Amino acid sequence: MINNISITDRTKKFAVRIIKACCFLDEKPGVNRIISSQLLRSGTSIGANVREAQSAQSDKDFLSKLEIALKEARETQYWLEIIIESELVEKSKFDSLLQEANGIGKILVSSTKKLKQK
């Protein structure tokens, strides 16, 4: 696991991995490409929203951006689970992506909870 890396860098690295995974999915026509586009949008949006939160105009805006990132992380988890469970790819190919999506989701849950307690 990645321990001493900022959430901004972690979500950016994750987005790059998602892009590569989607390129792999796009090699096959049909449903793979449709699901790939869903995964691409949600998986890259996590980091974009985390990055956007850094320029938030208020604490409320910051929290809102992190909550959007969390929603996108959960959607990404969903698409990765669907891809794995429908056997579009071997579980071993996407399992580490799913684990990373789960890890990022946990960080975002913890962060938003702390912000709400303030």
Side-chain angles (χ1 to χ4, degrees):
M1 277 311 271
I2 305 167
N3 291 327
N4 295 326
I5 183 170
S6 72
I7 188 66
T8 306
D9 289 341
R10 189 166 173 175
T11 55
K12 184 177 173 184
K13 287 180 188 302
F14 181 73
V16 170
R17 289 180 65 202
I18 287 291
I19 291 168
K20 290 178 181 180
C22 290
C23 287
F24 174 78
L25 286 171
D26 284 347
E27 290 174 3
K28 294 180 185 173
V31 73
N32 281 26
R33 290 185 182 167
I34 295 165
I35 291 178
S36 173
S37 69
Q38 295 288 119
L39 177 63
L40 183 64
R41 281 188 288 132
S42 64
T44 57
S45 181
I46 302 165
N49 280 290
V50 168
R51 180 75 61 97
E52 199 174 327
Q54 292 177 321
S55 298
Q57 297 175 349
S58 65
D59 288 345
K60 186 177 178 182
D61 188 33
F62 183 74
L63 176 60
S64 175
K65 299 291 188 244
L66 285 188
E67 286 177 328
I68 292 168
L70 175 57
K71 287 179 184 180
E72 296 295 338
R74 288 185 172 145
E75 182 179 345
T76 301
Q77 291 166 339
Y78 172 80
W79 290 119
L80 289 168
E81 289 168 2
I82 292 296
I83 289 165
I84 291 167
E85 290 174 27
S86 64
E87 299 177 349
L88 293 178
V89 298
E90 292 177 33
K91 184 179 184 210
S92 62
K93 285 196 182 296
F94 278 45
D95 199 43
S96 69
L97 267 177
L98 180 56
Q99 288 177 11
E100 180 63 358
N102 291 338
I104 288 169
K106 287 177 183 178
I107 291 168
L108 292 170
V109 165
S110 175
S111 298
T112 56
K113 279 184 179 178
K114 286 178 187 173
L115 288 168
K116 287 177 183 177
Q117 290 172 351
K118 283 187 174 182

